[in-house]
Amino acid sequence: MAEFKVVVADPETGETFQREVDGQDANRFLGRELGDEIGGDAVGLSDHTIELTGGSDETGRPMREDVSGTRLKELLLEGGVGFEPSREGERKRITVRGREIDDDIAQINASVVDGDGDVAAALGEGDADDDADE
């Protein structure tokens, strides 16, 4: 059975929220690709739409939008997702994962693209944290 950590970013406030999904909610992500937009019901955002923006597998290999399917692939990278060069002209061979979500993915990154209301309130966070600080 698939189980994912989904990190949802709210671009309006700059906050991120982490949710663990399994069972039927996790199955909604299987077979989807980076860039797909889906309903936020799986992570508790019933009035919002989220876009899949990235992710990584259980060993930390990042997903790349330019690699098709779910396979692993070695790429010679000059920068971008999976490699940040430390000097001018540096290139490195890096193993990355394809853009399709399957059981091997451990974390999915998503961003809210449309919806009504506050994301923090919909996820049950925000105001409760402020009351605890007082």
Side-chain angles (χ1 to χ4, degrees), residues 68-131:
S68 63
T70 61
R71 64 194 170 126
L72 291 174
K73 186 172 182 179
E74 283 191 355
L75 299 176
L76 185 62
L77 300 178
E78 296 177 352
V81 175
F83 176 61
E84 191 66 38
S86 59
R87 63 181 191 270
E88 182 77 24
E90 182 179 14
R91 298 187 307 171
K92 191 172 184 180
R93 187 164 305 279
I94 301 292
T95 303
V96 296
R97 190 161 285 283
R99 65 177 167 250
E100 187 176 330
I101 296 173
D102 68 347
D103 288 333
D104 294 329
I105 301 299
Q107 176 180 315
I108 300 171
N109 302 331
S111 180
V112 175
V113 292
D114 189 29
D116 298 328
D118 184 30
V119 174
L123 291 173
E125 296 187 14
D127 292 336
D129 293 340
D130 293 340
D131 293 341

Side-chain angles (χ1 to χ4, degrees), residues 2-132:
E3 184 175 318
F4 304 116
K5 287 184 182 174
V6 180
V7 179
V8 180
D10 182 4
E12 291 182 13
T13 63
E15 294 180 297
T16 58
F17 307 95
Q18 184 170 319
R19 293 285 177 260
E20 293 201 22
V21 296
D22 57 1
Q24 184 178 359
D25 289 336
N27 289 340
R28 295 180 189 182
F29 291 100
L30 293 175
R32 302 291 182 136
E33 294 186 350
L34 298 184
D36 287 355
E37 292 184 5
I38 62 173
D41 296 339
V43 292
L45 296 171
S46 58
D47 295 335
H48 295 80
T49 302
I50 59 175
E51 178 184 6
L52 305 178
T53 58
S56 60
D57 64 8
E58 64 279 349
T59 60
R61 292 184 196 108
M63 296 175 71
R64 283 190 59 111
E65 201 163 349
D66 56 349
V67 177
S68 63
T70 61
R71 64 194 170 126
L72 291 174
K73 186 172 182 179
E74 283 191 355
L75 299 176
L76 185 62
L77 300 178
E78 296 177 352
V81 175
F83 176 61
E84 191 66 38
S86 59
R87 63 181 191 270
E88 182 77 24
E90 182 179 14
R91 298 187 307 171
K92 191 172 184 180
R93 187 164 305 279
I94 301 292
T95 303
V96 296
R97 190 161 285 283
R99 65 177 167 250
E100 187 176 330
I101 296 173
D102 68 347
D103 288 333
D104 294 329
I105 301 299
Q107 176 180 315
I108 300 171
N109 302 331
S111 180
V112 175
V113 292
D114 189 29
D116 298 328
D118 184 30
V119 174
L123 291 173
E125 296 187 14
D127 292 336
D129 293 340
D130 293 340
D131 293 341

